[in-house]
Amino acid sequence: MVELIKPRRLSPGDTVGITAPASWVDTEQVKAASATLVNMGLKVRLGDTVFMQHGYLAGTDEARAGELNAMFADPAIKAIICARGGYGTGRIADLLDYKLIRANPKIFWGYSDITFLHAAISQIAGLVTFHGPMMIDLGKDDVHPLTVQNYETLLRPSVLRYTEEISPLQSLVDGEALGPIVGGNLSLIVSTLGTPYELDTRGKLLFIEDIDEEPYRLDRMLNQLKHAGKFSDAAGILICDFNNCVPNKRKVSLTLEEIFNDHIASAGKPTLSGFKIGHCSPNIAVPIGVTARMSTYEKLLACTEPGVET
């Protein structure tokens, strides 16, 4: 296993690179959202992919991967924030220079389709990355203050401590567990199976979230992860937000709670649900790779250290 390394914290005046490694974006929305970072005392550099469109992608695979490699190599860029997810990061995983990324550790931030890159970068380069809200989230008129506050932790590092002060939490399987945090979007985690980037959950705290997936589709994906041993291998499970995951095609349906019990609780690992992490408001950022403790008795998820070097 590659030794874990952390990126450095940001300082006022640092430059943040904005890239679109998946689907194309609304350029004007990204420009407007950049004002939030500027107001924090940061400089913003928009990558060329923010202005590109190639079908449903933000430029060709070579353009998107090339820009990401270039941003890691550029010493003037101190953090890389993804403009949005959508689809396409799995297409560029083979084109990234993981030795370059490890040699130039810096903050890499995003969620949703970015899950594939989190798995690849954290496992191959050993870099702590951040599952957190992106530019399209900052560009919303009703953006939650806690969503914006995530970014301030990059300037003033803090240790993630998630309690019921943020949202109600429910225990599916009682217990406590300690381990590095891994995970992200359920659909993308499943898409890593059988690839060189397959998510390793052994001894780790696995968190999952998704959006717009019908219960029967979630059932299929969770069943696949169960058979792949991802739940039984994990030290603990964190069930996060499943936004708009309601029956549509199949009106007569199992509930999400029944599906979670069938596939996750059956593994017998400590399991907490209700985290506002994912396609939700607020969207709390998580440092992937950092060790954390979870307790169903305390209704708590607490990292042992910040995700950046201080």
Side-chain angles (χ1 to χ4, degrees):
M1 181 179 295
V2 64
E3 182 183 356
L4 189 71
I5 56 174
K6 293 182 183 179
R8 293 193 61 83
R9 62 174 290 180
L10 294 179
S11 298
D14 280 348
T15 296
V16 174
I18 308 299
T19 188
S23 293
W24 59 272
V25 301
D26 181 330
T27 303
E28 295 307 313
Q29 183 185 30
V30 172
K31 288 180 179 179
S34 298
T36 300
L37 301 180
V38 173
N39 291 337
M40 292 179 184
L42 299 169
K43 298 177 182 177
V44 174
R45 184 190 300 176
L46 299 182
D48 292 339
T49 57
V50 173
F51 304 90
M52 293 181 178
Q53 185 174 352
H54 177 64
Y56 39 73
L57 303 169
T60 64
D61 294 345
E62 291 74 18
R64 288 177 289 117
E67 180 167 278
L68 191 51
N69 284 330
M71 284 190 173
F72 270 105
D74 189 340
I77 292 179
K78 305 301 182 183
I80 302 168
I81 297 175
C82 297
R84 65 160 299 173
Y87 172 74
T89 60
R91 294 175 57 115
I92 67 172
D94 286 349
L95 301 177
L96 297 185
D97 187 336
Y98 297 99
K99 289 183 179 179
L100 168 72
I101 292 172
R102 183 170 178 82
N104 298 274
K106 57 187 67 176
I107 293 162
F108 177 70
W109 185 289
Y111 75 107
S112 193
D113 196 71
I114 312 304
T115 294
F116 204 105
L117 296 184
H118 285 313
I121 293 172
S122 64
Q123 293 181 149
I124 299 177
L127 176 65
V128 170
T129 61
F130 293 84
H131 182 281
M134 297 178 285
M135 301 307 291
I136 61 170
D137 299 293
L138 289 182
K140 295 178 180 177
D141 293 335
D142 60 347
V143 60
H144 196 284
L146 285 179
T147 298
V148 178
Q149 188 176 318
N150 286 295
Y151 286 92
E152 296 174 354
T153 66
L154 300 179
L155 288 158
R156 289 172 289 279
S158 62
V159 177
L160 172 65
R161 183 179 175 85
Y162 197 117
T163 69
E164 289 195 299
E165 291 184 2
I166 299 176
S167 65
L169 301 174
Q170 300 82 36
S171 172
L172 274 72
V173 180
D174 283 338
E176 297 182 334
L178 180 74
I181 301 176
V182 298
N185 183 266
L186 175 61
S187 304
L188 272 295
I189 294 172
V190 170
S191 75
T192 70
L193 297 180
T195 75
Y197 316 102
E198 180 170 333
L199 189 67
D200 182 1
T201 66
R202 290 173 294 181
K204 298 174 182 177
L205 303 184
L206 171 63
F207 73 96
I208 55 172
E209 65 86 28
D210 220 316
I211 184 173
D212 294 338
E213 295 285 0
E214 292 198 48
Y216 80 94
R217 293 171 60 88
L218 296 176
D219 190 318
R220 183 184 66 240
M221 290 186 279
L222 292 171
N223 185 56
Q224 188 171 358
L225 288 188
K226 177 178 69 176
H227 287 310
K230 299 305 176 182
F231 300 130
S232 59
D233 283 348
I237 312 294
L238 310 169
I239 300 175
C240 303
D241 198 81
F242 280 78
N243 191 348
N244 195 39
C245 290
V246 296
N248 185 16
K249 182 178 179 180
R250 290 174 169 82
K251 295 296 186 181
V252 179
S253 173
L254 294 175
T255 65
L256 295 188
E257 290 74 18
E258 287 174 319
I259 296 169
F260 294 149
N261 276 316
D262 287 344
H263 300 302
I264 299 177
S266 61
K269 300 302 176 76
T271 303
L272 267 178
S273 69
F275 293 95
K276 300 296 284 185
I277 297 170
H279 295 78
C280 52
S281 181
N283 179 3
I284 305 301
V286 176
I288 292 178
V290 170
T291 296
R293 181 176 72 91
M294 65 171 290
S295 172
T296 65
Y297 310 115
E298 301 175 55
K299 302 289 182 67
L300 171 71
L301 171 68
C303 288
T304 59
E305 57 187 333
V308 294
E309 295 287 358
T310 58

